[in-house]
Amino acid sequence: MAQNVSRVVLRLSHEPIKVYDWFAFDAEGEQIAHQLTSNQHWPSAAQLDLAIPAQWLTAHRLALPKVNEKQRQQLITQALEDRVLGRLDDYQWQAGPVENGHCTVWLLEISKLAQLKTWANEQGLHFTRWITEFALLGEQNDCMLAASSGLMARLGGECVWLADESELLALRGERVLQALNFNQVVAPSKTAVSFYHGKTPAVSLHMSWQDWRWAVYLLGVCIALVLLSMMLQWRTLAQRESALRQEIRQTFASLYPGMPIVDPMLQWQSLQKKGEVRGGDALDLLYRSAAQMAGDYNAHSISVKNGKVSLIVPAAQGAALLSQLQAQGAQVQSTNLPDGRLNVELQP
């Protein structure tokens, strides 16, 4: 028998928590064996499910419109807050699939879940799922089965737990209920609601790696490309920094020939504080050049290059301009142009 067992479902007595009975099923979901027991004498199987006692569970059948998953969660939460006595935060809920616009939502106290976890750890049991005991009713409607304590029944799609048959008489009305015996129990469906999912078997992990390995490879290639791009960008910036530093040294050397260069930026700041800065940008040079010129000069063109200001003026004004600048001690040079105008180069 053990060779044909694919799944075992344990039912529990809850005061105290212990194994009440177990059902063994083959790969097709057909029942192979059932036995009342309080010891761990059940067949070994690839899948071991725990059936949460029906007495601990509350089922609510809700009408839901067609919405996305996030909206579905919100609607269920709002409906449960209206139905549950006490704080909803004290419960964990799980919703089944929506069928014909209706969904069954199961509630279980969080304290009960903690008890189950403690008991499973103490017993050294590793379950694949924690399903509801009602899952043993299968897909049948208007039926009942002896639970680990009392009765569990499905009436018109509603799942209820009853302490005894006297309560059943008041609920069923004129309905005819089929009383299931243990031999008629079939394996819970793979989509049955579960309050816990155990670790995936190693084979499934291997299959998962096969499915995802190309995505992992692609991610690795993308990371390598990003790192390579960052390294190239860093190298380009380093080269630009080196070229800029060299240009600063050359500019400083051209403005202050003969001055030893240690740190041109610091030396420039020191000279700026002392008021001994030479050169400057084009506007600065023009401003200082204009301060050395008094009078109305008709300059045909003005340009700034290499720290010098060049003016082209008529020859008649050139002599007066040169005399004025030389009288102020300015460094000035002049060149007669072929058209008779004078090119004056001034270094402020």
Side-chain angles (χ1 to χ4, degrees):
M1 177 187 70
Q3 296 178 351
N4 298 325
V5 175
S6 176
R7 192 186 325 174
V8 172
V9 178
L10 304 185
R11 295 202 299 176
L12 303 179
S13 300
H14 61 281
E15 290 182 356
I17 298 179
K18 62 180 180 179
V19 178
Y20 174 75
D21 63 357
W22 55 263
F23 293 90
F25 304 96
D26 62 16
E28 303 299 326
E30 296 295 328
Q31 184 185 145
I32 298 175
H34 167 255
Q35 183 176 330
L36 295 167
T37 181
S38 58
N39 352 353
Q40 297 187 13
H41 292 161
W42 51 82
S44 61
Q47 180 172 335
L48 181 62
D49 290 342
L50 169 66
I52 300 173
Q55 186 177 356
W56 286 0
L57 297 161
T58 305
H60 296 273
R61 188 167 175 79
L62 306 178
L64 296 175
K66 290 184 178 180
V67 292
N68 59 42
E69 182 61 23
K70 182 178 180 179
Q71 293 173 326
R72 175 173 174 260
Q73 297 284 330
Q74 293 174 345
L75 291 174
I76 291 174
T77 301
Q78 293 172 1
L80 293 179
E81 287 176 345
D82 295 336
R83 296 190 179 201
V84 174
L85 298 177
R87 297 173 64 253
L88 185 59
D89 292 340
D90 294 334
Y91 295 85
Q92 180 173 325
W93 60 266
Q94 295 289 340
V98 178
E99 297 178 352
N100 299 323
H102 289 81
C103 172
T104 299
V105 182
W106 300 91
L107 275 83
L108 178 63
E109 292 181 21
I110 294 178
S111 60
K112 301 296 185 184
L113 277 174
Q115 293 180 34
L116 290 176
K117 183 177 181 180
T118 300
W119 175 81
N121 290 337
E122 291 175 349
Q123 301 298 317
L125 297 175
H126 303 283
F127 294 98
T128 306
R129 300 183 298 172
W130 291 2
I131 59 176
T132 69
E133 192 174 0
F134 289 93
L136 294 171
L137 294 176
E139 302 297 329
Q140 299 183 63
N141 199 12
D142 293 336
C143 61
M144 64 178 183
L145 178 70
S148 57
S149 174
L151 297 172
M152 55 182 178
R154 183 181 289 117
L155 304 171
E158 298 280 354
C159 293
V160 294
W161 174 85
L162 306 167
D164 52 47
E165 292 189 8
S166 62
E167 297 182 9
L168 182 62
L169 295 174
L171 286 177
R172 71 180 182 180
E174 297 181 356
R175 290 180 180 274
V176 177
L177 297 182
Q178 179 185 3
L180 302 177
N181 58 51
F182 293 143
N183 294 331
Q184 294 175 288
V185 172
V186 296
S189 69
K190 295 181 179 180
T191 59
V193 167
S194 174
F195 283 82
Y196 169 82
H197 292 277
K199 296 181 178 179
T200 308
V203 174
S204 297
L205 287 174
H206 176 72
M207 293 301 295
S208 178
W209 164 248
Q210 294 296 327
D211 294 338
W212 288 94
R213 59 176 180 167
W214 292 112
V216 174
Y217 294 155
L218 181 60
L219 177 61
V221 171
C222 291
I223 293 175
L225 290 175
V226 170
L227 292 176
L228 179 60
S229 175
M230 292 175 64
M231 292 177 63
L232 292 175
Q233 185 178 15
W234 174 83
R235 184 176 179 180
T236 301
L237 292 175
Q239 291 175 346
R240 289 181 180 177
E241 181 186 13
S242 178
L244 181 59
R245 289 182 179 275
Q246 183 63 26
E247 184 176 353
I248 291 173
R249 293 180 67 89
Q250 292 176 354
T251 303
F252 188 87
S254 65
L255 292 175
Y256 300 95
M259 180 179 292
I261 300 177
V262 180
D263 188 328
M265 293 302 297
L266 292 177
Q267 289 175 275
W268 183 281
Q269 292 174 1
S270 177
L271 292 171
Q272 189 176 34
K273 291 178 181 179
K274 296 178 181 179
E276 300 178 5
V277 175
R278 300 177 186 173
D281 59 14
L283 290 177
D284 184 35
L285 292 174
L286 286 173
Y287 177 79
R288 283 187 283 161
S289 299
Q292 293 177 297
M293 302 177 192
D296 186 11
Y297 296 102
N298 184 20
H300 292 175
S301 69
I302 301 176
S303 62
V304 179
K305 185 176 181 182
N306 296 329
K308 295 182 180 181
V309 178
S310 296
L311 297 91
I312 297 179
V313 297
Q317 298 178 358
L321 177 60
L322 287 173
S323 298
Q324 184 183 59
L325 293 175
Q326 290 171 351
Q328 296 180 20
Q331 299 181 18
V332 61
Q333 294 179 354
S334 62
T335 305
N336 292 317
L337 300 177
D339 58 4
R341 293 180 298 171
L342 188 66
N343 180 23
V344 179
E345 288 188 354
L346 169 66
Q347 183 171 341

